[in-house]
Amino acid sequence: MAGYKIRDLEILTGIKAHTIRMWEKRYGMLTPQRTSTQIRTYSDDELLLLLNISLLYKKGIKISRIAEMSTTQIFEASRSMQDSGDSDTAVEQFIVSVLQLDEQLFHNTFHELIQKDNLSIIFSEHIIPFLNRIGIMWLVGTINPAQEHFISSLIRQKIIASIDQLPIPDPTKGKIVLYLPEHEWHEISLLVYHYHLRSKGLYSVYLGQALPYDALIKIVKTLEPVAIVSSWLTAIEPQKIMDHFKQIETHMPAITIFAGGYQIDQLETSLSKNIRRIRTLSDLENPI
């Protein structure tokens, strides 16, 4: 059983902490436990309940009306509304799909989003905020590896399916190689980079996870790309990241280097100025 602080609930549900406290006091909607120092802690069940309350509230149902419902009624009403395709509640629906391992809910939510926007916008406005929110769940131990693999696999499937629907660009206009370094297996960001480049008509070559450095050098010599793109999420010694790029600059001095991910963000002032950081997808707009 996880022990969420009220700040954790605020991050995960998008409901301000003072609003949660007011709902507790006025309507008795949640019954948190308290530590010996009187700090509120909330269970997994209370998180799930608050997520469903948030869905109804964002759909325009007054909190006084929600407070009159039983927990079962709240869940049923929320479920009936989850098919309406409201993008304002997409992140909450994604979180519920993780907690309940609900593939259908994830599919329905994603399907409604893709009817309105392309994958680049969905990733920036919905998937990244979703992944940021569930990061707190790792910290309190409420998501186990099976749940993480479940949602990562679903997101990965959607991105790959979207890439497959795009035409293959003309390689004579310049090739761009995408790869993950040897220690890295988290490929969602890199897949989105791949989609974004292809959607702009750029010929990107996806080499995938944990690519040995020697293999990268060989493929670059073979393909002669104008740029290489990588993503760095897994914790690694900063010096190893800097050494990796120094090697690239030595072996491939003429190539344009793009890099994104949390670990790159932490090295903003340490990396060579030749490394073009990917903060948003727009940073990949002119790679050639």
Side-chain angles (χ1 to χ4, degrees), residues 21-29 63 67:
R21 292 190 190 96
M22 182 183 69
W23 290 355
E24 286 176 16
K25 183 176 181 180
R26 184 172 298 177
Y27 303 110
M29 297 181 116
I63 192 63

Side-chain angles (χ1 to χ4, degrees), residues 18 30 34 58 62 75 83 89 92 100-101 110 112 230 244-245 259 261 276 288:
H18 69 84
L30 301 174
R34 289 183 180 269
K58 289 182 178 181
K62 292 182 179 181
F75 276 69
D83 296 328
T89 64
E92 285 80 6
Q100 297 185 324
L101 295 177
F110 190 93
E112 294 295 340
S230 60
H244 177 88
F245 288 118
R276 296 171 63 174
I288 295 177

Side-chain angles (χ1 to χ4, degrees), residues 52 56 69-82:
N52 282 274
L56 298 179
M69 300 179 184
S70 67
T71 298
T72 299
Q73 289 173 326
I74 289 172
F75 276 69
E76 288 177 351
S78 175
R79 169 61 70 180
S80 69
M81 290 186 172
Q82 284 167 5

Side-chain angles (χ1 to χ4, degrees), residues 2-270:
Y4 299 97
K5 305 295 189 294
I6 198 165
R7 172 60 178 161
D8 301 335
L9 291 191
E10 182 178 62
I11 293 170
L12 290 167
T13 65
I15 300 172
K16 296 295 184 182
H18 69 84
T19 301
I20 296 172
R21 292 190 190 96
M22 182 183 69
W23 290 355
E24 286 176 16
K25 183 176 181 180
R26 184 172 298 177
Y27 303 110
M29 297 181 116
L30 301 174
T31 54
Q33 300 295 313
R34 289 183 180 269
T35 67
S36 58
T37 54
Q38 296 303 303
I39 295 174
R40 290 176 173 86
T41 61
Y42 302 81
S43 68
D44 291 336
D45 288 342
E46 286 172 316
L47 168 62
L48 190 57
L49 174 61
L50 190 58
L51 281 167
N52 282 274
I53 290 171
S54 175
L55 287 167
L56 298 179
Y57 187 66
K58 289 182 178 181
K59 296 284 189 178
I61 300 179
K62 292 182 179 181
I63 192 63
S64 57
R65 172 70 185 94
I66 300 172
E68 294 173 353
M69 300 179 184
S70 67
T71 298
T72 299
Q73 289 173 326
I74 289 172
F75 276 69
E76 288 177 351
S78 175
R79 169 61 70 180
S80 69
M81 290 186 172
Q82 284 167 5
D83 296 328
S84 64
D86 187 348
S87 60
D88 290 341
T89 64
V91 173
E92 285 80 6
Q93 292 182 60
F94 285 149
I95 294 174
V96 172
S97 72
V98 175
L99 293 174
Q100 297 185 324
L101 295 177
D102 190 336
E103 181 177 352
Q104 190 65 58
L105 174 57
F106 177 86
H107 172 79
N108 292 347
T109 305
F110 190 93
H111 178 75
E112 294 295 340
L113 291 175
I114 206 70
Q115 300 305 305
K116 301 174 184 177
D117 293 308
N118 64 41
L119 185 63
S120 298
I121 294 174
I122 293 170
F123 185 75
S124 298
E125 297 185 1
H126 303 288
I127 299 297
I128 288 180
F130 161 64
L131 294 174
N132 287 341
R133 284 206 205 174
I134 65 170
I136 194 70
M137 298 166 114
W138 277 102
L139 296 178
V140 299
T142 191
I143 284 185
N144 63 44
Q147 288 171 304
E148 193 272 338
H149 290 179
F150 167 80
I151 200 63
S152 296
S153 177
L154 293 180
I155 294 172
R156 182 176 175 274
Q157 288 174 31
K158 298 299 184 185
I159 299 171
I160 291 173
S162 297
I163 293 169
D164 195 47
Q165 293 175 13
L166 295 173
I168 299 175
D170 182 357
T172 64
K173 296 180 180 179
K175 305 179 185 73
I176 302 162
V177 165
L178 298 97
Y179 74 99
L180 293 177
E182 292 186 53
H183 70 287
E184 187 64 73
W185 293 91
H186 295 86
E187 64 177 337
I188 288 176
S189 293
L190 197 71
L191 282 168
V192 172
Y193 299 162
H194 186 34
Y195 169 87
H196 188 71
L197 291 167
R198 286 274 174 114
S199 71
K200 300 297 181 181
L202 298 168
Y203 188 82
S204 51
V205 180
Y206 189 81
L207 302 182
Q209 303 160 309
L211 184 72
Y213 182 79
D214 290 346
L216 173 64
I217 297 298
K218 289 178 182 178
I219 205 71
V220 166
K221 289 180 178 178
T222 301
L223 294 177
E224 297 183 338
V226 296
I228 59 174
V229 181
S230 60
S231 177
W232 303 69
L233 292 178
T234 302
I236 186 175
E237 293 178 19
Q239 189 60 50
K240 290 185 177 180
I241 300 175
M242 291 186 284
D243 289 345
H244 177 88
F245 288 118
K246 285 178 181 177
Q247 280 186 294
I248 290 176
E249 289 180 290
T250 299
H251 292 133
M252 300 172 267
I255 203 163
T256 301
I257 305 169
F258 290 86
Y262 178 79
Q263 298 304 324
I264 298 299
D265 293 341
Q266 306 310 301
L267 293 174
E268 181 176 5
T269 60
S270 303

